[in-house]
Amino acid sequence: LTLMSNHWLMAWMGLEINTLAIIPMMTYPNNMRNTESAIKYFLMQATASMIIMFAIIYNAWMTNQWTLFQVSNEWATTFMTLALAMKLGLAPFHFWVPEVTQGIPLTSGMILLTWQKIAPTSILYQISPSLNMNILVLLAVSSTLLGGWGGLNQTHLRKILAYSSIAHMGWMTVIALINPSLMILNLLIYIAATMAMFLCLNLTSTTKINALSNMWNKSAPMTITIMIILLSLGGLPPLTGFMPKWLILQELIIYNNIATAMLLALSSLLNLFFYMRIIYTSTLTMFPSNNMSKFQWFHTSPKSTSLIPSMTIISAMLLPLSPLVI
């Protein structure tokens, strides 16, 4: 609805439907942690929607236009940009993204970090000619720096991918005014890589870096796939993730934004560092034993657990007879 709408109220309605549709998915299975994350997400998205509605009404009052492309008022554009930054999780409105992603299952986290970015990005794409370049550069540089800096000390994979999402949203925002088509290309490549990463983690039921240490024993092709996806997210050539970053830096240099390009290139090293931490744990280290089982060590078979009570009873019966035997 948001992608095809030309009226501000229809676009806002599509954003609200998109927000409300994912909340039941976030609360399944029903527990306190999922519910807390869903409430945080709802409050943040409701605040952003309220600011968007205020910007829509203010723009219509000043320009008498409800068309999506007619955002000529400066204050309306500023409020709209900040509200979309809250929905996308750009810094300094990024605090909800790691907390919400950590508290929900992997499948819900995958939808939150991929599909939920499409509707706000489409609005950002359509109003890109009237955006303020200074605000976009500030949001983008702070997002890439904080997205890389925040993921350095994390051990949970969902939080690492959440900070990776913040950094990638910064790369998309900085090019929205200069070349919006390049923003869409970056979004598509990011969605493909992030969905593949979440599907691999969901298939192996892995949520921490330490759990990846025995990945070689379970599935060597899965380990190689995770390594390639992480290197692509880090932007190393000749993988696909290098192409949008190279094109964005090239466009920034053409438009004499050399300082911004340097900051973005340096901030990508922070992201690459915690990607390499995951690659080192999952690929470059081996499990300290020759584990031939395809399951985790804490998965015990029903037969072995059923023998424990009987062995306990037999040992208790033989204990009084031990002095007589001696």
Side-chain angles (χ1 to χ4, degrees):
L1 186 61
T2 306
L3 291 175
M4 296 182 294
S5 61
N6 193 28
H7 196 277
W8 269 117
L9 289 181
M10 295 296 292
W12 182 82
M13 192 182 303
L15 286 174
E16 290 305 296
I17 294 174
N18 193 31
T19 300
L20 295 176
I22 195 178
I23 291 179
M25 301 175 64
M26 295 172 66
T27 56
Y28 179 82
N30 190 12
N31 54 52
M32 293 295 294
R33 195 171 187 181
N34 293 354
T35 305
E36 179 186 356
S37 299
I39 292 173
K40 290 178 181 178
Y41 177 75
F42 174 75
L43 291 176
M44 197 67 187
Q45 298 297 311
T47 305
S49 298
M50 178 185 66
I51 299 175
I52 290 176
M53 179 57 69
F54 172 76
I56 292 171
I57 296 174
Y58 184 75
N59 180 71
W61 179 40
M62 298 299 293
T63 62
N64 294 324
Q65 293 288 336
W66 289 90
T67 310
L68 200 63
F69 303 100
Q70 297 293 332
V71 189
S72 56
N73 187 270
E74 183 179 357
W75 283 104
T77 305
T78 303
F79 280 115
M80 186 69 64
T81 306
L82 295 178
L84 292 175
M86 294 174 67
K87 281 190 169 292
L88 289 172
L90 294 171
F93 312 108
H94 67 285
F95 297 102
W96 64 271
V97 181
E99 298 299 326
V100 172
T101 309
Q102 177 63 24
I104 57 179
L106 287 170
T107 52
S108 301
M110 178 185 67
I111 297 173
L112 177 67
L113 296 182
T114 55
W115 184 261
Q116 295 298 106
K117 308 292 185 182
I118 296 177
T121 308
S122 66
I123 295 180
L124 198 65
Y125 175 82
Q126 296 181 65
I127 66 171
S128 57
S130 59
L131 294 175
N132 190 345
M133 186 64 187
N134 295 325
I135 297 178
L136 288 180
V137 170
L138 180 62
L139 292 173
V141 172
S142 59
S143 297
T144 52
L145 289 175
L146 291 175
W149 194 264
L152 292 178
N153 200 27
Q154 301 297 327
T155 57
H156 293 270
L157 294 173
R158 282 174 290 188
K159 278 194 174 183
I160 289 176
L161 291 174
Y163 282 108
S164 171
S165 173
I166 295 169
H168 278 86
M169 289 299 117
W171 281 88
M172 296 176 207
T173 307
V174 76
I175 204 65
L177 182 59
I178 300 174
N179 193 347
S181 301
L182 193 54
M183 177 180 67
I184 301 300
L185 174 65
N186 196 357
L187 177 66
L188 294 177
I189 294 175
Y190 160 75
I191 287 176
T194 305
M195 288 185 68
M197 187 66 193
F198 267 102
L199 290 175
C200 291
L201 296 179
N202 189 35
L203 188 62
T204 57
S205 300
T206 305
T207 57
K208 292 184 178 181
I209 294 180
N210 292 334
L212 292 173
S213 59
N214 61 345
M215 185 68 71
W216 274 113
N217 295 329
K218 298 169 67 175
S219 177
M222 185 69 67
T223 308
I224 298 174
T225 304
I226 291 176
M227 180 185 68
I228 294 175
I229 293 170
L230 289 172
L231 290 177
S232 179
L233 284 172
L236 286 182
L239 300 173
T240 313
F242 170 72
M243 180 179 62
K245 293 184 177 180
W246 175 55
L247 293 175
I248 288 172
L249 293 178
Q250 185 179 13
E251 290 288 330
L252 290 174
I253 293 173
I254 290 174
Y255 283 86
N256 294 323
N257 292 318
I258 300 176
T260 305
M262 289 181 61
L263 286 175
L264 290 177
L266 292 175
S267 66
S268 65
L269 297 177
L270 297 174
N271 293 325
L272 188 60
F273 176 78
F274 60 74
Y275 292 142
M276 289 303 297
R277 281 181 60 202
I278 305 176
I279 293 171
Y280 176 78
T281 305
S282 61
T283 309
L284 303 179
T285 57
M286 295 293 291
F287 198 67
S289 64
N290 295 325
N291 184 15
M292 303 304 294
S293 175
K294 297 297 181 184
F295 300 99
Q296 300 273 5
W297 61 270
F298 50 80
H299 287 171
T300 55
S301 60
K303 293 182 180 180
S304 61
T305 54
S306 62
L307 292 176
I308 293 177
S310 59
M311 295 297 294
T312 305
I313 295 173
I314 293 173
S315 60
M317 294 174 61
L318 294 178
L319 188 59
L321 300 177
S322 56
L324 300 177
V325 175
I326 296 173

